[in-house]
Amino acid sequence: MAAKKNSSKKAQKQAVKYAKQHKKAVAIFVCVVLIILIAAILLIYLFKPAWFKGLFGGNDKPGGPGGETEVEQGDLADINSADLSIHFIDFKNDKAGDCTLIKVGDTEVLIDAGSTQGSAAVIKEYVDKYCTDGKLEYVIATHADQDHIAGMVGTSTKGTYNGILYSYNIGTVIRFTDSNKDLTTQAGNPTLYSRFLTAVDYAVEHEAAAYTALQCWNETDGASKKYYLDAEHKISMNILYNYYYDHKAADENDYSVCMLLTQELADGKQNNYLFTGDLEEKGEQYLVQYNTLPEVELFKAGHHGSPTSSNDCLLSVIKPKHVAVCCCAGTDEYTKTKDNQFPSQAFINRISPYTDAVYCLNVTSDNADGYELLNGDIVFYSKDSALKLWCSNNTTKLKDTDWFKNNRNAASWQ
């Protein structure tokens, strides 16, 4: 026993002696360990913010101390007199697709026009309630997939198309810079992409200006990266830089035009609203790398709430307070794997640490139509600096719907 104690004391003395003789080496070792720990913490914070919150505590629910993100309930009669309104249009079918109307005074912006060519009539019926002069000042086509451009072309009756680009006086078209789509089918007929390009040409022939997103970013050929939507220059539409504007992408979605809508408020603060089309993870990483992105009041969920978009690399920067998902919840249009059907479980996992204020257009159903409304048309609008929400069906959050309770889960929403 005594021998063991002597051995222990001897070891301690040797350790102390070594430390005194090698103070510099010990200090360097300690510094290296600290640097590795700090770097690890930073990486977790940047790329896995939900893990960071779990490791280091803090409120485990979204929306700050109250645990939930709330928005003031709006009124349909208020929307036309709003300073700014953002409308996510329901297509009244069981398909995913995007179509967003932005209205500022007499200025209207339409972003995309899915989900099928037959959706043009539904879109026009909605747009005509707010665009009373027959002019869309700006039309943005984010990328060449059907569920974003089909309604731009519409359907044909005796060679006459009824799509958006044929039906309105268009001021400026801003479109994706590149596409991997073919111009003709195997039978030699024009593809939808080709018909879209023809529709753009038609708009230009009728006095529209047409630019690619890259021309806007570079401000060449008369294009701008910033467009003010009001006379007071308080609300601006800002075309962001996407790496795939001037680099080839394997995935069509990564060509998406990305836009930040910025509203200057009376108190000197800003509201920001972000639209990224169907941008995928690599594109989102580049978007964060090449742009200075603010935290946003509203985010249109990337790629309809797919498992491959709305990643932590983007969400950890923009920290969205409200999210609109443009899809028919539970549609098997693209996959039979239930967890990956829009809005996917992976999307829920990533968005839930930031907000529970997630809204969705409609949901699949066994009824004759194949769908039924969730929120229906979703309208966020700003009046007297207050952000409000009105929906054509209800303003129930996704987490509180029967579909979510039966098909998805989120610990931070419980």
Side-chain angles (χ1 to χ4, degrees):
M1 189 74 174
K4 284 185 178 180
K5 286 184 179 179
N6 289 335
S7 176
S8 177
K9 287 181 178 179
K10 186 176 180 182
Q12 289 176 4
K13 287 180 180 179
Q14 287 176 341
V16 171
K17 183 178 178 181
Y18 181 87
K20 288 180 178 179
Q21 291 175 346
H22 300 84
K23 287 182 179 178
K24 189 173 181 180
V26 171
I28 291 172
F29 175 77
V30 170
C31 287
V32 169
V33 170
L34 286 172
I35 290 169
I36 291 172
L37 285 172
I38 292 168
I41 291 168
L42 285 172
L43 286 172
I44 292 171
Y45 176 77
L46 288 172
F47 296 103
K48 294 290 181 182
W51 291 8
F52 185 87
K53 290 175 183 177
L55 286 170
F56 297 98
N59 178 38
D60 62 350
K61 289 189 176 182
E68 294 186 350
T69 304
E70 299 298 338
V71 62
E72 187 176 342
Q73 297 300 296
D75 189 296
L76 177 60
D78 249 0
I79 295 174
N80 264 321
S81 60
D83 303 316
L84 162 69
S85 59
I86 301 169
H87 309 240
F88 300 97
I89 300 173
D90 176 56
F91 298 112
K92 297 179 173 59
N93 63 28
D94 60 352
K95 305 289 191 294
D98 275 14
C99 187
T100 306
L101 175 69
I102 299 171
K103 182 174 177 63
V104 179
D106 291 329
T107 298
E108 285 86 27
V109 180
L110 194 74
I111 306 176
D112 287 332
S115 59
T116 67
Q117 287 179 257
S119 298
V122 175
I123 294 169
K124 291 194 295 181
E125 181 182 0
Y126 187 94
V127 169
D128 287 348
K129 297 174 185 176
Y130 298 96
C131 177
T132 55
D133 61 0
K135 181 172 184 178
L136 293 173
E137 277 72 16
Y138 301 95
V139 171
I140 299 176
T142 61
H143 64 291
D145 280 345
Q146 170 183 301
D147 57 337
H148 293 256
I149 63 167
M152 299 283 186
V153 177
T155 57
S156 172
T157 302
K158 296 181 179 180
T160 301
Y161 283 90
N162 70 341
I164 298 301
L165 293 176
Y166 293 101
S167 301
Y168 295 90
N169 177 12
I170 309 295
T172 299
V173 177
I174 299 172
R175 68 173 186 86
F176 47 92
T177 303
D178 203 354
S179 173
N180 300 331
K181 303 278 189 185
D182 292 327
L183 293 173
T184 57
T185 65
Q186 289 184 342
N189 298 316
T191 60
L192 176 62
Y193 170 49
S194 176
R195 294 188 190 281
F196 165 76
L197 296 178
T198 300
V200 172
D201 289 342
Y202 176 90
V204 170
E205 289 167 6
H206 290 77
E207 301 186 348
Y211 306 116
T212 65
L214 185 60
Q215 286 175 307
C216 290
W217 177 256
N218 289 331
E219 299 192 311
T220 57
D221 306 309
S224 298
K225 65 177 67 170
K226 181 189 291 287
Y227 292 92
Y228 286 104
L229 305 183
D230 62 329
E232 297 76 22
H233 286 195
K234 297 292 185 182
I235 301 174
S236 60
M237 182 174 73
N238 304 277
I239 304 302
L240 302 174
Y241 176 69
N242 175 1
Y243 175 84
Y244 293 107
Y245 291 164
D246 50 5
H247 295 82
K248 267 297 188 187
D251 193 321
E252 194 75 25
N253 293 331
D254 276 325
Y255 291 124
S256 292
V257 180
C258 299
M259 188 271 282
L260 181 71
L261 186 68
T262 298
Q263 178 188 20
E264 304 289 343
L265 303 176
D267 59 5
K269 295 180 181 179
Q270 285 185 346
N271 277 351
N272 289 285
Y273 314 89
L274 183 62
F275 306 84
T276 60
D278 281 1
L279 198 66
E280 303 286 4
E281 183 173 17
K282 194 63 181 176
E284 291 176 343
Q285 290 173 356
Y286 283 128
L287 192 70
V288 170
Q289 179 180 344
Y290 290 111
N291 300 273
T292 302
L293 299 177
E295 295 182 11
V296 301
E297 286 293 320
L298 174 64
F299 174 50
K300 187 208 71 71
H303 196 189
H304 321 289
S306 81
T308 54
S309 290
S310 305
N311 291 281
D312 286 334
C313 60
L314 177 61
L315 297 179
S316 63
V317 174
I318 65 171
K319 297 180 175 63
K321 293 181 183 176
H322 309 90
V323 178
V325 188
C326 297
C327 75
C328 181
T331 177
D332 61 1
E333 185 180 5
Y334 297 106
T335 178
K336 299 295 182 183
T337 304
K338 288 190 177 296
D339 275 359
N340 291 340
Q341 291 169 358
F342 303 149
S344 68
Q345 182 61 55
F347 164 75
I348 299 298
N349 294 343
R350 291 194 291 262
I351 202 70
S352 57
Y354 298 97
T355 182
D356 68 340
V358 178
Y359 305 90
C360 188
L361 301 175
N362 56 29
V363 62
T364 54
S365 172
D366 293 330
N367 65 23
D369 295 323
Y371 79 97
E372 57 188 61
L373 296 180
L374 281 181
N375 298 117
D377 302 309
I378 301 168
V379 183
F380 283 91
Y381 69 93
S382 176
K383 188 169 184 178
D384 301 326
S385 296
L387 188 65
K388 301 181 181 183
L389 171 66
W390 178 86
C391 299
S392 61
N393 190 41
N394 60 55
T395 56
T396 303
K397 293 176 180 177
L398 180 64
K399 72 181 182 72
D400 296 323
T401 64
D402 289 339
W403 179 84
F404 184 90
K405 292 172 184 176
N406 293 329
N407 295 277
R408 298 287 180 262
N409 62 82
S412 58
W413 285 356
Q414 294 174 0

